[in-house]
Amino acid sequence: MQDWAGHGAIVTGGASGLGAATAARLAQSGLKVTVFDLNAELGQAHADRIGGAFAAVDVSDPASVAAGIEAAEAAHGPIRVLVNCAGIGGAAKTVSRGAAHDPALFERVIRVNLMGSFNCASQAAARMVAADPVDKDGARGVIVNTASVAAFDGQIGQLAYAASKGGITAMTLPMARDLADKGIRVCTIAPGLFLTPLLDELPQEVQDSLGAQVPFPSRLGDPEEYGAMVDHITRNAMLNGEVIRLDGGIRMAPR
Ligand code: NAD
């Protein structure tokens, strides 16, 4: 098992939802967490709560990511763990009322979800490669990405979102292979339905009906269950190059 207590970590999208729960869990495990988020107010407040640092970063902008990593390393030393949670939705069908899917919307979702994960992972990996190994296996770091079950069971209206999450899923193995001889592991979690601010805004009966679609347990996931999965991945040295569905067994219907 690997223990990253005392080392630096970055959680993107760490101001809210799955990212916020992950940042809290890693801080509990003794990591020195920097929260990356567009939302400075929520991000700073959460960083203060968990005893971490905050950097206002737009993951879709490589220069912003570079500045954020520099700030994280200035605060906490070498980055050993990166968790990509920043992401956006963007519902639209391939053709709607006779009009083709807006290419600008498609590009925006790809830019934030897929390019954002790529920007953070590739730049963090470059920093991990530059640092010394920490154990006898030669471990230098861990990268955890967030896809979605939409990578496999994209629903009606999820064209851009599913494409972005499918890209993250497909990146996982080649990235793990690229970085294997540097002692850096890469895994991706594909969450099902979790109760984050996104779903929290829906009326209770809609939340209940979504939860009832989950085979077992028949409820929405708790973001803490997501944070616990990330925490385990950081510790278990044999988890590498894998995409893990965390979904209570759900397979999404077309709509
Ligand atoms: P959320 O909206 O609660 O949190 C996302 C965070 O990302 C926000 O704080 C937002 O400010 C930040 N963000 C958005 N764009 C950014 C950018 N360009 N740069 C930096 N930060 C940015 O959402 P969530 O439900 O916690 O989702 C987190 C991730 O999990 C997303 O990638 C989402 O696609 C994925 N996911 C969520 C669920 C779910 O059920 N909640 C299911 C499957 C996948």
Side-chain angles (χ1 to χ4, degrees):
M1 298 296 268
Q2 293 171 354
D3 181 4
W4 300 100
H7 290 284
I10 291 170
V11 181
T12 79
S16 172
L18 303 184
T22 299
R25 177 63 183 244
L26 294 182
Q28 263 172 27
S29 289
L31 280 84
K32 296 189 276 184
V33 178
T34 302
V35 168
F36 279 12
D37 209 286
L38 278 181
N39 189 326
E41 198 181 326
L42 279 184
Q44 185 66 61
H46 192 54
D48 291 346
R49 212 162 23 241
I50 64 171
F54 171 74
V57 170
D58 178 353
V59 297
S60 69
D61 173 3
S64 174
V65 171
I69 290 177
E70 205 170 304
E73 292 207 319
H76 296 148
I79 289 307
R80 299 296 191 167
V81 172
L82 166 75
V83 187
N84 279 315
C85 286
I88 57 171
K93 294 208 276 185
T94 309
V95 176
S96 182
R97 294 192 186 90
H101 193 296
D102 176 5
L105 173 63
F106 192 91
E107 190 176 334
R108 191 170 126 65
V109 174
I110 295 289
R111 197 167 286 286
V112 174
N113 294 0
L114 180 55
M115 296 286 296
S117 299
F118 157 78
N119 288 333
C120 295
S122 57
Q123 291 194 35
R127 299 303 307 148
M128 292 174 192
V129 166
D132 290 332
V134 297
D135 65 10
K136 61 179 181 358
D137 286 338
R140 285 192 169 85
V142 185
I143 295 170
V144 182
N145 299 305
T146 305
S148 163
V149 293
F152 309 103
D153 334 321
Q155 297 187 286
I156 287 170
Q158 286 195 312
L159 186 73
Y161 184 73
S164 72
K165 297 300 189 178
I168 293 170
T169 297
M171 243 175 12
T172 308
L173 182 61
M175 191 180 284
R177 287 174 162 169
D178 282 349
L179 298 170
D181 66 349
K182 305 294 187 294
I184 300 164
R185 295 185 292 114
V186 183
C187 281
T188 294
I189 304 171
L193 299 169
F194 279 73
L195 187 53
T196 66
L198 212 74
L199 272 75
D200 213 8
E201 285 164 15
L202 298 173
Q204 189 61 45
E205 61 266 28
V206 178
Q207 287 183 27
D208 291 346
S209 118
L210 284 172
Q213 293 173 31
V214 183
F216 184 77
S218 286
R219 60 168 173 79
L220 299 173
D222 181 334
E224 283 186 17
E225 293 166 326
Y226 190 88
M229 185 77 239
V230 174
D231 190 52
H232 182 77
I233 292 171
T234 65
R235 295 170 188 273
N236 194 323
M238 287 308 287
L239 274 170
N240 194 12
E242 183 60 318
V243 179
I244 302 162
R245 287 183 74 128
L246 189 68
D247 64 3
I250 201 168
R251 299 294 178 267
M252 303 304 291
R255 69 169 91 234

